[in-house]
Amino acid sequence: MISLQNLRKTFSLHGGEATVLQFDSLEIAEGETLAIVGASGSGKTTLLNMIGGLLLPSFGEVFVNGVEVTQLKESARDHFRAKHIGMLFQSFHLLEAYSALENVELGAFFSGHAGKKEDAKKLLEDLGLPLHFHRHPSQLSGGQQARVALARALVGRPKVLLADEPTGSLDFEAREDVLGLILSMAKSRKMTVVCATHDEHAAQAFDRRVVLS
Ligand SMILES: Nc1ncnc2c1ncn2[C@@H]1O[C@H](COP(=O)(O)OP(=O)(O)OP(=O)(O)O)[C@@H](O)[C@H]1O
Ligand SMILES: [Mg+2]
């Protein structure tokens, strides 16, 4: 499902080059759940952004669902991401001007997903927010916001979910809750999940862990 070959990312800093990430090969199977662990600065976000085509590697290839993402032009990469990849961020990036339901509907719109309204409602219900459709993000708890952001990421039925420390700002209970939802959605939809986390305990719930150093 996801294949990284001879991948390297360097940034130029102070006139020199710093290599922040290097992989000879990383293969992630369809439906596999993978935790990326590593200290702050080890390259977790960089890796997720390269899989999602938000960032190009300095060398090497990224394949997602058989498509060499690294060969696509920017607009084609944006289109590919919208259609096949769901993204979940630590700070959720919900739009305050819109209700929970509208945030999820916007996700459906941008992924080009036909079902829209009914799917958005059903997903919010499935994720345990049947009474929160019309609340705005600031009227929701952190755990509830995480679930709205998860619904928005999943409403387009992506084959891949990329999550960057999605539970980093939550307390223990909400963290377990949101992780459980991510992993059960992965199983029921055969969706591949790549999730960056600082949390060793959380990482144990995934099929596999990759440690970056
Ligand atoms: N645009 C950039 N220019 C130069 N260096 C960068 C750039 N983006 C990231 N880096 C460096 O690359 C390294 C990896 O950063 P990255 O954000 O991927 O780490 P991370 O594992 O996600 O950290 P955290 O756990 O704090 O989120 C860091 O040393 C960072 O300073
Ligand atoms: Mg990061």
Side-chain angles (χ1 to χ4, degrees), residues 143 146-147 150 166-184 197 199-206:
R147 285 182 274 165
L150 180 59
T167 60
S169 62
L170 305 178
D171 68 20
F172 181 77
E173 214 163 295
R175 215 149 63 201
E176 296 279 294
D177 238 39
V178 171
L179 270 180
L181 285 169
I182 291 173
L183 293 174
S184 72
T197 179
D199 183 348
E200 285 284 342
H201 173 74
Q204 286 168 16
F206 288 74

Side-chain angles (χ1 to χ4, degrees), residues 17-164:
E17 293 263 290
T19 298
V20 300
L21 201 68
Q22 192 156 7
F23 273 108
D24 292 340
S25 167
L26 178 67
E27 305 282 341
I28 309 169
E30 180 171 4
E32 187 173 14
T33 62
L34 180 76
I36 308 286
V37 286
S40 185
S42 61
K44 301 182 296 297
T45 298
T46 304
L47 178 60
L48 289 173
N49 286 343
M50 286 194 293
I51 297 172
L54 289 167
L55 193 67
L56 286 175
S58 311
F59 301 96
E61 297 101 49
V62 176
F63 294 85
V64 178
N65 208 8
V67 173
E68 189 173 352
V69 182
T70 30
Q71 285 299 317
L72 299 176
K73 291 211 173 77
E74 191 172 352
S75 62
R77 260 187 292 135
D78 289 344
H79 188 73
F80 183 82
R81 183 183 325 110
K83 196 151 183 269
H84 298 287
I85 299 179
M87 303 200 73
L88 186 56
F89 305 92
Q90 176 170 0
S91 48
F92 310 133
H93 296 182
L94 294 171
L95 300 175
E96 180 58 30
Y98 297 94
S99 71
L101 181 59
E102 288 165 341
N103 268 280
V104 181
E105 286 170 356
L106 280 170
F109 176 76
F110 283 112
S111 66
H113 187 61
K116 293 188 182 129
K117 248 188 181 125
E118 284 320 305
D119 279 11
K121 277 189 178 155
K122 169 85 169 52
L123 198 50
L124 280 175
E125 281 169 8
D126 289 350
L127 294 176
L129 295 170
L131 304 173
H132 301 79
F133 288 175
H134 302 297
R135 293 217 197 158
H136 287 244
S138 64
Q139 299 168 327
L140 296 166
S141 72
Q144 290 164 347
Q145 289 177 35
R147 285 182 274 165
V148 175
L150 180 59
R152 182 184 57 185
L154 295 182
V155 71
R157 298 203 153 260
K159 297 294 291 172
V160 175
L161 177 69
L162 303 177
D164 195 355

